[in-house]
Amino acid sequence: MNLNQGHSVASIMAIWISLFSNIVLTVLKLIVGFVFKSPVLLADGFHNAGDVVASAAALTSMRISKLPADEDHPYGHGKAEVIGSSIVAIILGLAAIYIAFEAVMALFEEPATASKIALLTAVISFVWKYVLYIYTMRVGKKENSKGLIATAYDHLADVYASLAAVVGIGLALLGDSYGIPLLAYGDPIAGIVVSVLVFRLAIEIGKESMDILMEKSVSDDRLAAFEMIIRSVPEVKRIDRLRAREHGHYVLVDIRIGVTGDMTVQEGHTISSRIRNLIKEQNEDVDEVLIHLNPWYPENDSGILTNEE
């Protein structure tokens, strides 16, 4: 992947569809929630209002992240997308707290009469959001887009919320039909369940974003795969350092290797190019491979991977 390549039309289209869907569902849930006094639908509607902001943040960050490297940002703008993911996590966390508060307050009030229209709205939201989750996650993973994957998880939180709303409103309707007053509180109880699920998602997305912003290394398995590629080049006598980190939707690799001390500059350059090409050919998400050559002499060889020059 090249820094100038940015995101495909598919990823930009996915985020626009998410933004439009969130706007429509927000209006629908708030209107029905207010008219029919459904706490879980109202809470879910306000959650969707936060999703509108989250989708807009993801769209903006994706546009910034595809900008090419410049003098002030020589490694590109990939982390803009991670910042967008962090914003999504914060909005999800705030939405979870709000949903929990509203649901708990509703438990101390006279439950409203359940509405079939509110149930239908929740069902529509559930199906719509599930389709959006599958679609957005598929595109996000294909494009290795952190912002789009975060948006997909946001849709998943809405799937949970809508499912809980369906169950809660459905129980309330059953309570009205069969004269079971306790079931009338199914709506706010469902809201509490939703808040817990949404908050867990917020923590997961936030942790992943913070790991990338704090320059956390890629997995040990990923580093081992890079090491195998490097050692496949016969001229490499020793690996002095191997590091790699995610930078948004692409990966940066930093390598220090030992080669024969009497090697010419041209020979060293050829080896570096070969290693760089091998890594990038086998890892489409790797954008930059920085290679530093150290002189190697048999009498000083330790034969182990170190973090020293």
Side-chain angles (χ1 to χ4, degrees):
M1 182 179 291
N2 187 286
L3 283 174
N4 294 325
Q5 181 177 339
H7 297 283
S8 68
V9 174
S11 61
I12 298 298
M13 180 64 70
I15 202 68
W16 271 112
I17 291 174
S18 296
L19 179 60
F20 173 76
S21 297
N22 283 328
I23 292 173
V24 172
L25 287 174
T26 296
V27 173
L28 179 63
K29 290 177 185 178
L30 288 179
I31 290 176
V32 175
F34 273 119
V35 172
F36 296 97
K37 297 181 174 58
S38 170
V40 70
L41 207 56
L42 271 176
D44 200 14
F46 282 114
H47 174 206
N48 264 130
D51 293 341
V52 173
V53 179
S55 296
L59 178 62
T60 302
S61 65
M62 285 174 64
R63 287 182 175 274
I64 294 174
S65 70
K66 74 176 183 177
L67 295 174
D70 54 35
E71 186 175 343
D72 293 328
H73 306 88
Y75 295 102
H77 299 75
K79 284 191 178 179
E81 212 176 335
V82 183
I83 294 172
S85 298
S86 301
I87 294 173
V88 172
I90 292 171
I91 291 173
L92 277 175
L94 293 174
I97 294 171
Y98 175 81
I99 293 171
F101 175 78
E102 289 295 317
V104 170
M105 293 301 293
L107 289 174
F108 297 96
E109 299 173 357
E110 186 71 22
T113 303
S115 163
K116 292 181 180 179
I117 295 179
L119 178 63
L120 178 61
T121 302
V123 170
I124 291 173
S125 175
F126 171 75
V127 175
W128 194 337
K129 279 293 186 173
Y130 184 73
V131 172
L132 274 177
Y133 165 67
I134 297 296
Y135 164 64
T136 310
M137 181 61 78
R138 184 177 300 165
V139 177
K141 287 184 174 180
K142 182 179 179 181
E143 300 293 326
N144 192 28
S145 168
K146 301 300 178 186
L148 205 53
I149 291 174
T151 300
Y153 279 124
D154 191 18
H155 291 323
L156 181 60
D158 291 334
V159 170
Y160 293 151
S162 297
L163 178 60
V166 170
V167 173
I169 298 171
L171 288 174
L173 282 169
L174 285 175
D176 290 342
S177 299
Y178 295 98
I180 308 176
L182 188 61
L183 290 183
Y185 289 96
D187 191 322
I189 290 173
I192 295 173
V193 174
V194 168
S195 68
V196 175
L197 296 174
V198 172
F199 198 74
R200 285 183 60 186
L201 273 178
I203 292 175
E204 290 175 9
I205 296 173
K207 183 180 182 301
E208 182 181 2
S209 299
M210 287 304 298
D211 283 344
I212 295 176
L213 290 173
M214 294 296 290
E215 304 284 349
K216 182 180 178 181
S217 175
V218 299
S219 68
D220 291 340
D221 289 342
R222 197 83 195 272
L223 288 175
F226 291 145
E227 183 180 347
M228 285 185 62
I229 295 174
I230 297 168
R231 293 193 184 281
S232 70
V233 178
E235 292 85 355
V236 175
K237 303 300 182 182
R238 186 183 64 234
I239 299 178
D240 295 320
R241 186 173 72 188
L242 172 57
R243 301 187 300 191
R245 66 189 190 279
E246 289 189 60
H247 199 82
H249 56 278
Y250 50 88
V251 174
L252 304 178
V253 183
D254 181 10
I255 303 168
R256 293 191 180 189
I257 56 175
V259 296
T260 304
D262 58 0
M263 187 174 288
T264 66
V265 173
Q266 180 59 57
E267 290 171 331
H269 173 74
T270 301
I271 293 170
S272 296
S273 297
R274 193 188 315 166
I275 294 172
R276 182 179 296 107
N277 291 336
L278 283 172
I279 290 176
K280 295 180 75 170
E281 286 170 4
Q282 297 181 38
N283 299 272
E284 293 183 356
D285 60 338
V286 172
D287 183 82
E288 185 77 42
V289 182
L290 304 175
I291 302 176
H292 177 85
L293 301 181
N294 292 324
W296 173 87
Y297 300 98
E299 60 271 20
N300 297 327
D301 182 33
S302 64
I304 60 173
L305 179 67
T306 73
N307 286 321
E308 303 298 327
E309 290 190 33

